[in-house]
Amino acid sequence: MIITVTIPTYRRLPDLKRCLEALQKQTRPANQVLVIIRDTDTETWQFVETFDPNILPLRTVKVKVPGVVAAMNAGLDVAQGDIIAFTDDDAAPHTDWLARIEHHFLSDPRIGGVGGRDMIYDHGELFTTETKEVVGRLQWFGRLIGNHHLGVGTARYVDVFKGVNMSFRQSAIKALRFDTRMRGTGAQVDFEVPFCLALKRNGWRLIYDPNVVVNHYPAPRFDEDQRHQFHAIALTNAVHNETLALLEHLPRLQRIIFIVWAILVGTRKYPGFVQWLRFLPSQGSLAGQQWLASIQGRWQGWLTWQESRVS
């Protein structure tokens, strides 16, 4: 099979170099490597212009619109592979990454996507040794479970992937694009969710294999969504994205249950009323700010969904 690797990047030159070095060491080499670069990212453009084409089959793609969605779609527009694998510029795939991905696609023609684990490192140390069996699942009432960085065990079917480590069969996604209604000026959190759920609706299987691994070194983001820091707009955007994706995917009854659960209960990450009460004693006003931003995101996601139905 022909394999294309797609890497969106923005102002992270040392991280990008590490990622490309990891791709050079693949036991199953990539046939095409796409680096998606913003038109204003001068430093990265200067680097790729001097990159040795004999090291990797590298091709650059220019994108003018900010955000990961525009970059991913720009990659899809020019990707030539039977398999299109995505990773981030701040990740380094293990040497058998592409070999394991290809093995899964060859094993079953019904598999439309393969995802894997991202081992998160913080200042050179593994972020956590915690493990989880349940990964990438959408519960019946609308709660999304990630845990992609904690997965162990054998390969299993899932509902969603994490963007840093996912791949798709070209024939399965040829009519799909990442949703441009996702909000955010950079990371656009949960952008993977509507794409994966649409693939499943079309009858394709998604496989998560914890042995398909990339090392992930989370780098600073150049937008409002800063890791481990509360920002009202970033949280509202993330909740909007999740809400929109699930309203479009869930059947009518489950859609109603999801909205009621999300507003009344929610999660620690995207709190509803009960979660606000839970964290009020320990977090004080911060709990209220997070709850308000989450409720605004639910409402805005609902409005975007309604506008799409009308149009």
Side-chain angles (χ1 to χ4, degrees):
M1 304 181 79
I2 298 173
I3 301 180
T4 294
V5 177
T6 301
I7 311 164
T9 189
Y10 182 61
R11 297 174 58 190
R12 292 176 176 173
L13 188 52
D15 296 289
L16 177 62
K17 290 179 178 178
R18 180 181 55 219
C19 182
L20 294 178
E21 288 171 359
L23 290 177
Q24 294 172 29
K25 300 173 184 176
Q26 293 294 299
T27 58
R28 195 293 186 196
N31 301 99
Q32 180 186 41
V33 177
L34 301 177
V35 178
I36 319 301
I37 311 172
R38 286 270 296 278
D39 56 341
T40 56
D41 188 356
T42 305
E43 185 180 15
T44 304
W45 278 111
Q46 291 175 344
F47 165 69
V48 296
E49 285 172 359
T50 61
F51 190 84
D52 185 352
N54 295 315
I55 298 177
L56 280 175
L58 186 69
R59 175 179 175 181
T60 57
V61 180
K62 181 182 293 186
V63 62
K64 297 182 178 180
V65 178
V68 68
V69 167
M72 302 289 262
N73 285 335
L76 287 177
D77 288 340
V78 299
Q80 299 173 348
D82 304 305
I83 300 170
I84 304 175
F86 293 93
T87 192
D88 292 348
D89 54 5
D90 59 358
H94 284 201
T95 57
D96 60 354
W97 183 59
L98 291 179
R100 290 182 178 274
I101 287 173
E102 184 179 43
H103 171 76
H104 281 295
F105 282 110
L106 289 172
S107 69
D108 186 349
R110 296 168 295 180
I111 292 176
V114 176
R117 186 175 183 180
D118 61 314
M119 306 285 288
I120 298 179
Y121 286 83
D122 183 20
H123 297 95
E125 299 291 333
L126 191 62
F127 178 68
T128 179
T129 57
E130 183 182 6
T131 60
K132 296 287 186 180
E133 291 285 346
V134 180
V135 173
R137 300 300 297 183
L138 174 61
Q139 295 181 299
W140 66 272
F141 55 90
R143 181 189 177 203
L144 275 168
I145 300 175
N147 294 336
H148 297 86
H149 64 299
L150 304 175
V152 293
T154 59
R156 80 291 302 256
Y157 296 127
V158 297
D159 299 313
V160 294
F161 295 142
K162 188 175 181 179
V164 67
N165 189 0
M166 62 183 186
S167 57
F168 300 98
R169 191 184 299 271
Q170 172 77 283
S171 58
I173 65 171
K174 58 184 177 182
L176 292 179
R177 288 297 181 269
F178 292 94
D179 194 334
T180 57
R181 297 170 299 171
M182 297 287 102
R183 291 188 179 176
T185 58
Q188 297 179 281
V189 175
D190 288 335
F191 76 93
E192 313 94 328
V193 175
F195 192 87
C196 291
L197 294 181
L199 199 59
K200 287 203 67 177
R201 279 200 307 272
N202 291 339
W204 293 94
R205 294 178 174 179
L206 304 183
I207 292 284
Y208 171 87
D209 184 351
N211 294 310
V212 175
V213 184
V214 303
N215 290 343
H216 192 186
Y217 308 90
R221 291 169 172 170
F222 298 95
D223 64 357
E224 67 280 350
D225 186 10
Q226 298 301 305
R227 305 179 197 273
H228 312 303
Q229 296 181 25
F230 170 69
H231 191 291
I233 294 176
L235 181 57
T236 296
N237 286 341
V239 177
H240 165 276
N241 295 346
E242 180 196 74
T243 303
L244 175 59
L246 296 185
L247 287 175
E248 291 205 331
H249 170 75
L250 294 171
R252 185 174 185 273
L253 178 59
Q254 288 176 265
R255 192 183 300 143
I256 296 172
I257 294 172
F258 161 64
I259 288 296
V260 172
W261 167 81
I263 293 174
L264 291 183
V265 183
T267 64
R268 181 171 186 167
K269 184 179 178 182
Y270 302 153
F273 182 73
V274 172
Q275 296 288 354
W276 169 62
L277 289 178
R278 176 189 174 194
F279 291 104
L280 180 61
S282 61
Q283 296 184 354
S285 62
L286 177 60
Q289 295 174 51
Q290 293 174 331
W291 172 70
L292 181 60
S294 179
I295 294 302
Q296 289 176 335
R298 298 296 182 200
W299 173 243
Q300 292 176 15
W302 173 272
L303 291 178
T304 302
W305 177 64
Q306 289 287 350
E307 291 169 1
S308 301
R309 297 177 73 195
V310 172
S311 60

